[in-house]
Amino acid sequence: MIRVVVADDQPLMRAGLATLIDADPGLEAVGGDRNHLEAVEAARRTRPDVVCMDIRMPGQDGIAATRELCGPGVADPIPVLVLTTFDIDEYLFGALEAGASGFLLKDAEPETIIAAVRSVAGGNGTIDDGLTKRLLREVVTRRRTQPVTGGRGTDLLTPRELDIVLLLAQGMSNEEIADELVLEVSTVKSHLARILPKLGVRSRLQAAVWAYQNRIVELPD
């Protein structure tokens, strides 16, 4: 059972997401919270598999809450899937830099949201298809999410780890990477656990961005 905390300041949206999650036999909503403080407290208390986080909430925003749950320096991070109404670049970058594992707009189809929750719970990042190319084209020009340079990163990675980063940046899941490289899924996960700290990033999504920023992978047309 995948356990989910829903953080949103709008009661209708909070209740709707919780109902959507509970309607899936493999998911369970274990908390619904209306602001930054409640979201962080509930997540730390219940230790869910995923937090569905709104960005604009009273007091500090969802980006601040995301940073507290899975940002740099968090010893035992909790995966965050950001859901927002606002298609704004700074929100995208803020969520990414805070350590979010995924980013979707709230007008996504219900099945897309459920699939994203499952993906994030399984250790795979996700981002709204309509935002992916724009995000990648913008992010390659920014330095804030590039803690390790391309040359330094490729020196630190083994050839097998570099193979995994290349496939990760193409959007492959752990299972797809394992099939491509003829490895066990557990082996891919072990490699990823070593890759992320080498690159100075906290999530698969950040690792993929690192690959594009450093031209390890070329941008899609």
Side-chain angles (χ1 to χ4, degrees):
M1 183 68 71
I2 296 172
R3 303 168 68 250
V4 185
V5 162
V6 176
D8 197 297
D9 66 322
Q10 299 179 31
L12 184 60
M13 178 60 69
R14 194 165 62 244
L17 279 174
T19 299
L20 175 65
I21 288 164
D22 283 336
D24 188 290
L27 307 181
E28 178 187 11
V30 295
D33 308 286
R34 59 186 178 180
N35 59 42
H36 159 269
L37 292 176
E38 288 183 0
V40 172
E41 191 278 331
R44 288 175 173 169
R45 183 183 70 252
T46 63
R47 301 300 304 180
D49 299 292
V50 181
V51 175
C52 288
M53 183 76 72
D54 187 23
I55 285 185
R56 296 188 66 172
M57 295 188 291
Q60 289 184 289
D61 61 19
I63 292 175
T66 298
R67 188 173 295 109
E68 289 189 41
L69 294 175
C70 58
V74 177
D76 191 12
I78 299 171
V80 172
L81 170 64
V82 169
L83 291 165
T84 182
T85 307
F86 302 94
D87 175 8
I88 298 174
D89 285 343
E90 287 307 313
Y91 288 162
L92 284 170
F93 291 110
L96 175 65
E97 291 170 346
S101 296
F103 193 105
L104 285 181
L105 298 180
K106 287 182 179 178
D107 62 1
E109 294 294 330
E111 58 267 24
T112 300
I113 295 175
I114 292 299
V117 169
R118 290 185 175 280
S119 178
V120 170
N124 300 314
T126 187
I127 187 166
D128 189 283
D129 288 342
L131 302 176
T132 302
K133 288 184 179 180
R134 196 184 83 205
L135 173 63
L136 291 175
R137 291 190 184 283
E138 289 293 326
V139 82
V140 295
T141 67
R142 302 201 178 200
R143 306 296 295 183
R144 289 177 294 169
T145 54
Q146 188 184 12
V148 178
T149 63
R152 176 65 174 152
T154 52
D155 286 344
L156 290 171
L157 299 177
T158 67
R160 176 58 79 198
E161 289 170 346
L162 186 57
D163 288 341
I164 290 173
V165 170
L166 291 172
L167 297 176
L168 178 66
Q170 295 174 35
M172 289 191 181
S173 66
N174 289 344
E175 291 76 13
E176 290 168 334
I177 293 172
D179 287 343
E180 180 71 19
L181 298 178
V182 194
L183 298 171
E184 296 292 332
V185 174
S186 59
T187 302
V188 173
K189 291 181 178 179
S190 296
H191 279 303
L192 283 169
R194 292 190 292 270
I195 289 168
L196 300 187
K198 285 183 179 182
L199 298 182
V201 299
R202 295 301 299 268
S203 72
R204 294 166 55 96
L205 184 56
Q206 288 180 332
V209 167
W210 174 89
Y212 284 105
Q213 282 183 312
N214 288 287
R215 302 294 196 271
I216 307 300
V217 180
E218 292 300 317
L219 287 168
D221 294 330

